[in-house]
Amino acid sequence: MNNHVVSIRQAELMDLDAIMPLFDAARSFMAKNGNPNQWINGYPERELIESEILQGNCYVCEDKDGHIRATFCFIAGEDPSYKRIEKGRWLNNAPYATLHRLASDGTLSGVADSCLEWCFQHTDNLRVDTHQDNKVLQHILQKHGFTYCGIIYVSNGTPRLAYQKTSKPM
């Protein structure tokens, strides 16, 4: 039985009702794994995900039966939160893409691995940020060769650990 991601595709508005519960499952997973404060107060909001779908930045991961089991946002271009970095620096200033809001219902193995591999098929310069308590994602990023670059601040003013992986010259 295949218990892995079978396909990744761009999300459509009709997927929204299947996507939103993935964030609830991810919140629960993070809380059980020492990270109860990353996605709080209803974040990410349905309106944000709807907007990302309309912009073509939201993707879904499907199982062998075509059920949506995970989601993430892949955004090419500058992220305003990444303009200022403290206690470090980015590996380069070349054009990049960003991975945000990776969430899974927990039924498939290797979701983060599949998503990161997909991202690197679409960019050679990827940035990611995560909460300091998200040890699971930090471990996955290090396993995939990401470099810790410093601290950035997201739109609500809270700090995040910033990572980058690139095949572009430094």
Side-chain angles (χ1 to χ4, degrees), residues 2 9 11-12 24 31 43 50 52-54 78 93 97 108-109 113 116 121-122 139 141 144 152 155 165:
N2 185 346
R9 65 170 173 81
E12 302 172 14
D24 295 331
Y43 180 88
E50 182 176 348
E52 289 182 335
I53 291 171
L54 291 171
E78 276 196 29
N93 292 315
L108 299 179
S109 301
D113 296 334
L116 288 168
Q121 291 171 2
H122 294 84
H139 172 76
L141 293 172
H144 280 269
I152 59 100
S155 59
K165 182 177 176 181

Side-chain angles (χ1 to χ4, degrees), residues 145-156:
F146 279 78
T147 300
Y148 170 74
C149 294
I151 297 171
I152 59 100
Y153 293 86
V154 294
S155 59
N156 70 5

Side-chain angles (χ1 to χ4, degrees), residues 11-69:
E12 302 172 14
L13 279 178
M14 61 185 257
D15 299 325
L16 197 52
D17 287 338
I19 291 171
M20 293 313 296
L22 299 173
F23 295 111
D24 295 331
R27 266 189 223 89
S28 177
F29 174 84
M30 288 191 293
K32 289 176 188 166
N33 287 278
N35 184 20
N37 299 310
Q38 185 168 351
W39 288 349
I40 57 173
N41 302 325
Y43 180 88
E45 301 83 2
R46 184 179 183 92
E47 296 77 20
L48 173 62
I49 303 307
E50 182 176 348
S51 170
E52 289 182 335
I53 291 171
L54 291 171
Q55 293 170 30
N57 296 328
C58 186
Y59 293 83
V60 293
C61 304
E62 295 176 324
D63 66 13
K64 63 181 176 54
D65 298 318
H67 296 114
I68 295 172
R69 300 297 184 186

